[in-house]
Amino acid sequence: MESKIKLQDKSFKPFIPYEKITAAIDGVAEKINADYKGSNDVPVLLCILNGSIMFTSELMKRLNFNCELVTMKLSSYRGTSSTGVVREVMGMTGSVEGRKVIIVEDIVDTGNTIVELVNTVKGKGAIDIKVCTMLLKPEVYDKTVKLDYVGMEIPNAFIVGFGLDYNELGRNYKDIYVIDN
Ligand code: 5GP
């Protein structure tokens, strides 16, 4: 793990090592596998780009039932804070009509994005929606949408790495770093 990383004008220090992230993903995958064991449905994993790309790939490797992958791209953050407006940058790459869907998110902060996502997926005719997020900031989350699978809870601080960015940079690091104020 790098001792510090610099992305544009900001510095970030080590926060969650890759081994801890993958252990959390093992736990999430175990729960999902137990819930879908023996089911005849083929659920759709809805990967929310770009942030959850690494999480989705690590998670998928651990799932032992038949599933399909659909992606879509949203954007709500500018710099290090949420704009409160969730923009759909790219629509879904496949249909979720009549399907069971597991939304795969990188991080839930205020919850604006997840509320919007659940409504969108419902509107497209999904028959069952579960939410899976690698990270949750419980101090900030103030919505009622049930978060079915949560990898790890973190304090309210801005992080990068493992798919998460600062102005599109930092996604490639396999560990997670926190802003160094
Ligand atoms: P929410 O809508 O829950 O406030 O924010 C969710 C989205 O904001 C996430 O999917 C992610 O793209 C972005 N986000 C929230 N917190 C962080 C953070 O600490 N770091 C980064 N890089 N993105 C974040």
Side-chain angles (χ1 to χ4, degrees):
M1 195 167 190
E2 308 288 329
S3 59
K4 256 189 193 180
I5 59 173
K6 180 116 172 69
L7 304 172
Q8 294 176 340
D9 57 328
K10 305 252 183 291
S11 288
F12 296 84
K13 58 187 181 188
F15 189 50
I16 311 173
Y18 179 68
E19 294 67 32
K20 225 177 141 186
I21 301 169
T22 50
I25 299 173
D26 286 343
V28 165
E30 211 173 290
K31 283 192 194 120
I32 298 178
N33 280 331
D35 287 355
Y36 290 83
K37 192 179 173 190
S39 160
N40 288 324
D41 299 298
V42 176
V44 170
L45 298 183
L46 180 60
C47 166
I48 310 306
L49 299 173
N50 286 330
S52 74
I53 194 157
M54 273 203 205
F55 175 44
T56 305
S57 76
E58 289 282 353
L59 182 66
M60 281 187 84
K61 288 187 237 174
R62 292 163 170 82
L63 299 181
N64 55 21
F65 53 89
N66 290 337
C67 54
E68 290 178 18
L69 179 66
V70 170
T71 61
M72 73 181 294
K73 185 171 178 181
L74 295 180
S75 174
S76 68
Y77 251 58
R78 191 169 303 130
T80 61
S81 58
S82 174
T83 59
V85 181
V86 184
R87 283 187 309 127
E88 186 175 308
V89 181
M90 182 190 88
M92 285 182 209
T93 56
S95 170
V96 295
E97 195 176 345
R99 305 295 297 274
K100 291 190 171 181
V101 175
I102 305 171
I103 297 174
V104 185
E105 255 288 39
D106 50 358
I107 185 164
V108 173
D109 183 330
T110 62
N112 288 332
T113 306
I114 210 68
V115 167
E116 187 85 13
L117 271 169
V118 168
N119 287 336
T120 303
V121 175
K122 251 185 216 158
K124 302 252 185 213
I127 53 162
D128 181 66
I129 304 168
K130 295 275 187 289
V131 176
C132 173
T133 183
M134 177 172 70
L135 300 163
L136 166 68
K137 295 180 185 171
E139 294 159 30
V140 196
Y141 184 63
D142 60 359
K143 307 295 187 292
T144 54
V145 169
K146 184 171 175 230
L147 307 175
D148 301 276
Y149 310 104
V150 177
M152 237 185 283
E153 295 190 348
I154 62 163
N156 182 22
F158 186 75
I159 58 162
V160 294
F162 202 79
L164 289 146
D165 73 308
Y166 170 56
N167 290 337
E168 293 304 324
L169 299 178
R171 295 194 197 275
N172 50 305
Y173 291 94
K174 71 182 178 41
D175 309 284
I176 291 178
Y177 295 79
V178 66
I179 199 159
D180 192 10
N181 291 312

